[in-house]
Amino acid sequence: MLLQILRTYLRPYKREIGYVMGLQLVATIASLSLPSLNADIIDKGVVLGDTAYIMRMGGWMLGVTVLQIACTIAAVYLGARSAMAFGRDVRSGFFRQVASFSSREVGKFGAPSLITRNTNDVQQVQMLVMLGFTLMVSAPITMVGGVIMALREDVGLSWLVAAAVPVLVAATGFIISRMVPGFRRMQRYLDDVNRVMREQITGIRVIRAFVREPHESGRFGAANDDLSDVSIDVGRWMSAMFPTVMFVMNASSVAVLWFGGIRIDEGLMQIGALTAFITYLVQILMAVMMSTFMLVMVPRASVSADRIGEVLGTSSSVVPPEEGITEVNTRGGLEFREVGFTYAGAEHPVLCDVNFSAAAGQTTAIIGSTGAGKSTLLNLIPRLFDVSEGTITVDGVDVRDFDPEALWQRIGLVPQKAYLFSGTIASNLRYGKPDATEEEMWEALEIAQATDFVSAMSDGLDSDVAQGGTNLSGGQRQRIAIARAIIRQPEVYLFDDSFSALDVATDARLRQALRPVTRDATVLIVAQRVFTITEADQIVVLEDGDVVGLGSHDELLTTCPTYQEIVESQLKAEAS
Ligand code: DUT
Ligand code: MG
């Protein structure tokens, strides 16, 4: 999965990557040639007292150093830019994918997880890419080239390289292998901390109301402690890393000096060659260490890549048609034909064999106990989910054959949980109709019985709305959501329990005001209160996903026991 993501998202940056590799190559070769030049200066210049040679070679070294610095700066700059661009592309691809998801797929991953995946996990992969740009070329060349150059200086000491490299690999490998499981757990605990925190922020009112703060603090504390324990554990091993590496490097330098000294005494080696040999050994060991370090990041990034790939590989269960229908001349209302629906992963269907039709100009009410499937039924019409069986038609056309835009244009949905976006009252209403004028907005608010409180707000239509509409009351939010649907003047109105947060008098007034607006439209009302729907043209009674009654209020009172029960229970509640 990691490879696949890298291949897909790095492809546009092929040319930049080529430049980076080229620049790194030049820089690495330059840095490999420096110790050897230095050795020449010492052995052929300093020892023989040849000042002209020293100046000439010194000039060379200066030139090579400047070249190396310039190439490294350019490579790092280009590499960082490509890696960041890579991250940006993955995030935007991820975002587009999630935007195409239906509620089913969003529910499968969960919002917090989707957010972590698109931020933290992408960053993990991006870091690997960045490190890869720096090391991919320089590390292997330094290792191989360093060995060759060191051998050129002196073959007699080569066994020291052969001894030092495995020692360093074993030491760093051991330390890193202790850290990897810690990294994994860290990621998981980080998720826990995020989750608990998120839950508490969302549920802060409930927590206060039930005096659960000590309990919740404890819960957060536990998750937080777990995270810090693991981090400390990892940190301990991490702190052992640097001394170990330094120890191996210095010990091998001492060994080179020791054995090299003996060889110089015997006249087998020159002083310059010895200094160059030490520098090459350090360069090789550095490259080995960095490569081991990069190898650690691979499993971590690969876990993250899997998590990203899972989302990128999930296609929406609601697929828009290739060539959707945009224009329909007839106004045929709404029809459910043998509709069945099962939530993903659920054993039992939520809706079975639902049949009814609602003509234009008719009001259809849906009533049923909690969990009967009313919201589900409504959500199937704008294709928040797709039916498992049967068909739903709007204007005689299967909703799955509509162009999504055209379908949504016909529908005004007021969801059970009214969601408003951060912005102003006006910006929220414009979600319903982007070019709505002020007059249209006030008109819609008037019908939705929202004029009073909106005009009482300090800035009227331009008053601020917080994210999710949390600075408004539940009933106020509902009324804005209703106005948002009305302003659109759709053919099909879907009210999901939209009057429940309104007091009885406002409810009645609102329905009164709605009547002229919805004269030619198909209206579906989900309601809890029987009196809200007594005047409906037809009432669908749902019980556990089955339609157990269909007819007007009076008909159902005589034919449908479930409906009788609902009515009786509400009358009793009113009387008491
Ligand atoms: N359900 C799921 N997954 C969901 C939503 C609902 O499994 O994402 C189940 C829970 C419930 C059934 O579907 O048993 C019907 O839910 P729905 O929200 O349609 O019920 P409702 O009639 O709208 O209930 P309420 O009156 O509480 O709004
Ligand atoms: Mg519901």
Side-chain angles (χ1 to χ4, degrees):
M1 193 29 98
L2 181 61
L3 278 180
Q4 202 177 327
I5 289 179
L6 291 181
R7 211 174 309 140
T8 318
Y9 285 94
L10 281 178
R11 188 167 299 143
Y13 303 104
K14 246 187 210 155
R15 215 175 38 175
E16 280 85 346
I17 295 170
Y19 291 151
V20 171
M21 302 279 160
L23 288 165
Q24 288 282 4
L25 186 68
V26 175
T28 314
I29 291 173
S31 75
L32 275 175
S33 68
L34 284 175
S36 149
L37 284 172
N38 191 32
D40 283 348
I41 290 180
I42 294 173
D43 294 338
K44 295 179 190 153
V46 178
V47 176
L48 303 178
D50 184 346
T51 314
Y53 183 79
I54 295 178
M55 295 304 281
R56 207 174 64 236
M57 293 307 273
W60 261 109
M61 274 185 82
L62 194 66
V64 172
T65 311
V66 169
L67 177 72
Q68 189 218 345
I69 292 174
C71 286
T72 309
I73 290 176
V76 169
Y77 174 74
L78 268 181
R81 238 180 50 169
S82 313
M84 296 305 139
F86 160 83
R88 180 199 57 206
D89 293 354
V90 175
R91 280 194 299 272
S92 97
F94 191 100
F95 181 81
R96 243 175 298 137
Q97 188 71 16
V98 171
S100 79
F101 281 178
S102 76
S103 328
R104 172 179 296 204
E105 286 80 38
V106 174
K108 188 177 129 198
F109 292 107
S113 176
L114 285 174
I115 293 170
T116 326
R117 282 169 206 240
N118 202 15
T119 49
N120 193 318
D121 285 307
V122 173
Q123 202 176 355
Q124 255 7 297
V125 179
Q126 180 179 304
M127 235 148 76
L128 181 76
V129 169
M130 183 127 160
L131 203 66
F133 282 164
T134 332
L135 291 179
M136 196 129 78
V137 170
S138 68
I141 291 183
T142 306
M143 281 191 254
V144 177
V147 169
I148 294 172
M149 295 299 277
L151 292 188
R152 264 189 44 192
E153 296 298 336
D154 192 77
V155 181
L157 289 178
S158 57
W159 63 274
L160 276 171
V161 178
V165 170
V167 170
L168 185 70
V169 170
T172 46
F174 175 73
I175 292 175
I176 285 165
S177 72
R178 307 266 95 188
M179 289 189 331
V180 169
F183 280 147
R184 292 244 168 83
R185 273 190 316 192
M186 229 154 111
Q187 204 87 347
R188 219 174 38 233
Y189 289 141
L190 196 69
D191 267 353
D192 283 352
V193 167
N194 282 343
R195 208 196 55 237
V196 175
M197 180 91 194
R198 205 187 140 90
E199 236 169 65
Q200 287 174 6
I201 294 172
T202 335
I204 189 79
R205 289 184 203 183
V206 183
I207 293 167
R208 296 243 165 93
F210 288 91
V211 201
R212 298 290 282 171
E213 275 164 333
H215 170 84
E216 289 297 317
S217 300
R219 213 157 69 96
F220 183 77
N224 200 8
D225 285 347
D226 283 342
L227 180 62
S228 81
D229 284 348
V230 175
S231 309
I232 290 173
D233 220 32
V234 169
R236 247 184 230 131
W237 284 106
M238 188 95 94
S239 66
M241 185 88 160
F242 195 59
T244 310
V245 171
M246 286 320 275
F247 176 75
V248 175
M249 275 187 193
N250 290 328
S252 25
S253 301
V254 170
V256 171
L257 281 173
W258 179 273
F259 293 104
I262 296 174
R263 284 174 66 79
I264 289 174
D265 254 358
E266 293 169 352
L268 297 170
M269 195 180 181
Q270 285 185 299
I271 297 180
L274 184 70
T275 48
F277 197 93
I278 291 182
T279 318
Y280 283 127
L281 188 62
V282 169
Q283 279 186 352
I284 295 168
L285 293 181
M286 271 310 234
V288 170
M289 188 196 75
M290 292 300 279
S291 318
T292 350
F293 196 71
M294 179 160 164
L295 287 184
V296 185
M297 291 188 60
V298 172
R300 223 181 148 184
S302 132
V303 170
S304 289
D306 287 345
R307 279 160 56 96
I308 298 166
E310 236 182 300
V311 175
L312 291 178
T314 304
S315 44
S316 179
S317 55
V318 174
V319 191
E322 296 260 323
E323 275 181 38
I325 297 170
T326 49
E327 282 299 324
V328 183
N329 295 325
T330 51
R331 272 201 157 197
L334 179 80
E335 190 172 358
F336 276 63
R337 259 182 252 143
E338 288 161 26
V339 169
F341 180 75
T342 313
Y343 276 107
E347 282 178 30
H348 303 289
V350 175
L351 293 174
C352 292
D353 201 18
V354 176
N355 281 297
F356 70 89
S357 58
Q362 261 193 344
T363 299
T364 304
I366 299 167
I367 197 165
S369 56
T370 286
K374 307 181 294 292
S375 297
T376 309
L377 188 145
L378 239 53
N379 288 342
L380 289 174
I381 302 169
R383 291 190 77 195
L384 300 185
F385 300 99
D386 264 347
V387 292
S388 313
E389 277 157 50
T391 45
I392 300 173
T393 60
V394 171
D395 291 342
V397 177
D398 190 328
V399 289
R400 284 169 296 187
D401 294 335
F402 263 113
D403 176 70
E405 293 283 330
L407 175 65
W408 296 330
Q409 204 55 53
R410 288 176 158 72
I411 295 174
L413 170 69
V414 184
Q416 185 164 20
K417 209 167 162 244
Y419 189 87
L420 301 183
F421 295 87
S422 53
T424 61
I425 302 273
S427 75
N428 270 287
L429 291 177
R430 290 208 169 97
Y431 269 86
K433 189 177 179 203
D435 56 354
T437 62
E438 287 216 359
E439 268 161 48
E440 286 177 303
M441 287 193 233
W442 281 115
E443 218 170 283
L445 290 171
E446 179 72 46
I447 297 166
Q449 307 298 311
T451 326
D452 305 353
F453 77 87
V454 173
S455 51
M457 288 167 92
S458 52
D459 294 322
L461 281 175
D462 293 320
S463 308
D464 288 332
V465 175
Q467 187 192 355
T470 41
N471 62 341
L472 297 174
S473 80
Q476 289 172 337
R477 236 177 288 162
Q478 254 188 352
R479 275 177 269 178
I480 301 286
I482 293 169
R484 181 173 64 189
I486 292 172
I487 204 167
R488 187 167 205 161
Q489 299 183 316
E491 288 174 27
V492 180
Y493 285 87
L494 305 174
F495 295 106
D496 190 353
D497 215 357
S498 310
F499 310 124
S500 60
L502 309 182
D503 59 84
V504 176
T506 315
D507 181 353
R509 253 183 292 134
L510 201 161
R511 278 180 294 116
Q512 187 66 39
L514 262 180
R515 209 161 293 146
V517 190
T518 60
R519 194 177 304 127
D520 299 323
T522 311
V523 182
L524 242 64
I525 299 180
V526 169
Q528 301 281 1
R529 295 191 288 233
V530 172
F531 87 90
T532 312
I533 58 168
T534 42
E535 296 155 22
D537 298 300
Q538 60 173 349
I539 299 170
V540 178
V541 186
L542 272 185
E543 190 176 18
D544 291 336
D546 293 313
V547 178
V548 291
L550 179 63
S552 70
H553 176 71
D554 295 326
E555 287 164 17
L556 287 171
L557 272 181
T558 54
T559 56
C560 179
T562 314
Y563 191 70
Q564 288 162 5
E565 262 170 49
I566 296 171
V567 172
E568 262 168 41
S569 68
Q570 293 199 1
L571 285 178
K572 234 180 270 162
E574 251 167 53
S576 64

